[in-house]
Amino acid sequence: SWMVASPASALESGARPAARASADRIPDIDWLRGAAALGVFVFHVTGVAGFPKRTLPPFSIAGRTFASTLSPFALGASGVSLFFVLSGLCLALQRLRAGRARLPAGETGKYFRSRASRIVPAYWVAVLVSAAVTLWVGTMPARAVGIDTALHLFFLHGFDRTAFLSLNSALWSMVTEVQFYLLFPWVFALHGRL
């Protein structure tokens, strides 16, 4: 079931809630997040281990050689998309469960501050550490590192081909995530009008 029983019904049934469980928690989403994280991890590890990202290396079974076989590891790249979908679902469910079809006028700023406080500090640390490592390793000129760092800090690197995967290629998804967060209040309000 998508909906978790209320704390009152859990107490009536004699069940003890988990220490961090809440009425809003959907355990299946935690499993999906775990599967997505594992998929992304396996996708990257197999790439580092030398497996081609989209196809398996040629292999033979019972004398028959298979070449250009799609890699099951490539499915791990879909984990990021799953994270985006789950993020939207969780944000929408919070509001829908509170009986809201849209964010109240005064809460849009609170929503943006909440999103920023959750992602910006750790993201900025990751960008600055990545920039420092890039400078230390010397793979990019210092001026380019400075420009790419500024683009990353303001979530603009997705709009520049040279900066998009520079510094730390894992940060590419943050541009999409931030765009989603910026659009969410308006998309949610549009949903409320339908």
Side-chain angles (χ1 to χ4, degrees):
S1 157
W2 275 93
M3 302 301 283
V4 176
S6 71
S9 66
L11 291 175
E12 290 168 8
S13 68
R16 270 186 74 176
R20 293 196 50 165
S22 74
D24 293 334
R25 193 116 188 135
I26 302 172
D28 292 340
I29 287 182
D30 291 335
W31 283 102
L32 287 171
R33 282 185 178 134
L38 182 61
V40 170
F41 175 76
V42 169
F43 175 76
H44 286 292
V45 167
T46 56
V48 170
F51 282 89
K53 291 197 178 214
R54 302 290 174 217
T55 59
L56 292 174
F59 61 95
S60 296
I61 297 177
R64 183 170 176 201
T65 300
F66 296 89
S68 300
T69 304
L70 291 178
S71 173
F73 304 126
L75 294 173
S78 300
V80 176
S81 299
L82 181 55
F83 279 123
F84 290 148
V85 170
L86 293 175
S87 181
L89 174 69
C90 290
L91 287 172
L93 279 178
Q94 281 179 328
R95 277 116 190 119
L96 291 171
R97 285 180 170 171
R100 297 180 179 158
R102 65 181 62 160
L103 289 176
E107 284 198 26
T108 304
K110 181 180 173 187
Y111 160 79
F112 286 128
R113 284 188 298 279
S114 170
R115 294 288 94 203
S117 70
R118 288 182 62 98
I119 65 169
V120 171
Y123 173 74
W124 278 0
V125 168
V127 169
L128 295 173
V129 168
S130 298
V133 169
T134 301
L135 283 171
W136 181 62
V137 173
T139 56
M140 290 173 61
R143 184 175 190 280
V145 171
I147 291 168
D148 288 4
T149 300
L151 289 171
H152 276 74
L153 289 173
F154 293 100
F155 302 96
L156 298 173
H157 59 287
F159 301 103
D160 183 295
R161 283 183 211 207
T162 60
F164 184 57
L165 296 174
S166 69
L167 299 184
N168 180 339
S169 62
L171 299 177
W172 73 266
S173 65
M174 293 305 296
V175 173
T176 305
E177 185 173 346
V178 167
Q179 290 169 2
F180 168 76
Y181 287 150
L182 290 172
L183 291 174
F184 177 78
W186 292 276
V187 172
F188 191 67
L190 177 63
H191 169 268
R193 292 182 185 157
L194 297 178

